[in-house]
Amino acid sequence: GDSVTQMEGPVTLSEEAFLTINCTYTATGYPSLFWYVQYPGEGLQLLLKATKADDKGSNKGFEATYRKETTSFHLEKGSVQVSDSAVYFCALRGDAGGTSYGKLTFGQGTILTVHP
Amino acid sequence: DAGVIQSPRHEVTEMGQEVTLRCKPISGHNSLFWYRQTMMRGLELLIYFNNNVPIDDSGMPEDRFSAKMPNASFSTLKIQPSEPRDSAVYFCASSFRRVQGRGYTFGSGTRLTVV
């Protein structure tokens, strides 16, 4: 079945540091890929997405590129802020040809803490 | 758009009591999902509905858990009887099923504490 593996955390960075959170996936066909962010005490919010190979999703300075050859969707940001401290989830949604169509499969989440 | 609305935000109950969590999805969305989040197990899909019909309930931990979706605008997750190990944050999410590339919209969650 579909699966998502994220880099284990927690990740602790200083403000303005470069961020990478690795994400790899296993799925059949052409899934859509997502990054969600969860701030303390809140639900998950969609951060960015990509629906086909080589697509780059971006939002709020975060970027991730859909790499089908390496089955990866790594999250990056050039300069993190204290306000980026949150839990980040990588997820995939199976394509229309698969039995898991419509269902999001999440990674285990990566806790990011940014210090001033 | 008010988003996905969950109630209550917090629930504290005694072991053995019945607990009912409620969710109102975004109008027009035809898929609804219930998730449970704990530190130990992360985010777990409990059950999901398409067009009000339960499609996959394999994540429901045991018979004490049940979920219903009587119409397109309302769903409940019931735990009876509740146990301390059910303490978690329960999220509801909704989506358009047939739109490839759409993510989910999550509610703010219900934090359940069973003492």
Side-chain angles (χ1 to χ4, degrees), chain A residues 21-100:
Chain A
I21 301 178
N22 289 340
C23 172
T24 57
Y25 68 90
T26 302
T28 55
Y30 298 89
S32 295
L33 301 175
F34 305 85
W35 276 100
Y36 280 81
V37 59
Q38 184 180 28
Y39 298 103
E42 299 183 12
L44 280 71
Q45 302 172 25
L46 180 63
L47 179 60
L48 54 83
K49 67 179 181 182
T51 58
K52 61 183 187 297
D54 300 324
D55 265 4
K56 178 186 283 187
S58 62
N59 186 26
K60 300 181 181 179
F62 291 90
E63 293 183 339
T65 301
Y66 188 150
R67 300 286 189 202
K68 191 161 178 63
E69 65 276 15
T70 55
T71 62
S72 65
F73 193 55
H74 305 321
L75 182 69
E76 296 182 337
K77 186 173 185 181
S79 176
V80 294
Q81 305 300 311
V82 173
S83 57
D84 294 327
S85 298
V87 183
Y88 292 82
F89 292 89
C90 185
L92 73 82
R93 187 171 189 177
D95 69 13
T99 57
S100 62

Side-chain angles (χ1 to χ4, degrees), chain B:
Chain B
D1 189 343
V4 176
I5 299 173
Q6 290 187 246
S7 63
R9 285 299 307 272
H10 302 275
E11 176 81 31
V12 180
T13 191
E14 292 185 347
M15 182 174 63
Q17 296 299 306
E18 175 182 303
V19 176
T20 299
L21 311 181
R22 298 173 176 79
C23 175
K24 177 178 168 52
I26 288 176
S27 178
H29 281 187
N30 54 6
S31 292
L32 183 139
F33 308 81
W34 282 100
Y35 282 86
R36 177 171 69 176
Q37 186 178 37
T38 61
M39 288 294 292
M40 290 297 294
R41 300 175 70 90
L43 203 59
E44 303 173 274
L45 176 64
L46 301 178
I47 185 170
Y48 77 96
F49 296 83
N50 284 337
N51 297 317
N52 313 337
V53 176
I55 301 301
D56 183 355
D57 65 355
S58 59
M60 297 285 262
E62 45 198 281
D63 291 345
R64 298 183 297 105
F65 286 70
S66 63
K68 293 182 180 179
M69 192 165 185
N71 57 60
S73 59
F74 184 65
S75 178
T76 59
L77 177 68
K78 184 181 291 186
I79 308 173
Q80 180 186 19
S82 58
E83 298 182 3
R85 60 195 169 114
D86 301 331
S87 297
V89 181
Y90 291 81
F91 289 104
C92 176
S94 70
S95 176
F96 290 105
R97 178 173 184 268
R98 287 289 177 186
V99 180
Q100 179 68 358
R102 284 290 188 103
Y104 298 176
T105 302
F106 279 79
S108 298
T110 295
R111 181 173 295 278
L112 173 65
T113 303
V114 183
V115 296

